[in-house]
Amino acid sequence: RLVKGDEMWLSPNYQQDSCHFTMCIYNPTINRRTNFYNKLYAATAKFKPRFHWGKHFDLTPTDMEILYPKFQEFLKVRSKLDPKGLFLNKNLARTFGLQHLL
């Protein structure tokens, strides 16, 4: 589906119209799923895709800075609203570079 750009800092559509693809994947082992996503990331890297947050999301803070222009501003607001990391989980802490709060 085609989606109009928006102004939400961590949206896949931030300041860009986007094309979304939906894939439903069933594999009985995590290794197969991880292998699929690693291949997908490698095959699409040149397009700088912003994947849906509800799916397998394996980005580093450096990746986030490249893909999301307002990432540093987001971290400042996040820190003000949740200084102790109450609303972080292991995956978000890793993605945001905030493991020290867990």
Side-chain angles (χ1 to χ4, degrees), residues 67-81:
L67 294 173
Y68 298 92
K70 294 285 192 175
F71 181 60
Q72 288 302 320
E73 288 90 333
F74 163 78
L75 289 179
K76 289 176 187 170
V77 171
R78 199 224 61 79
S79 176
K80 260 181 143 173
L81 297 175

Side-chain angles (χ1 to χ4, degrees), residues 43-60:
T44 60
K46 68 181 177 183
F47 301 109
K48 296 184 178 163
R50 296 176 183 162
F51 290 97
H52 187 284
W53 283 83
K55 303 297 180 190
H56 181 80
F57 202 76
D58 197 21
L59 297 178
T60 66

Side-chain angles (χ1 to χ4, degrees), residues 25-39 56:
I25 302 160
Y26 171 77
N27 283 302
T29 67
I30 193 147
N31 290 338
R32 287 184 181 166
R33 188 181 70 193
T34 300
N35 186 42
F36 170 81
Y37 281 112
N38 287 342
K39 287 180 180 180
H56 181 80

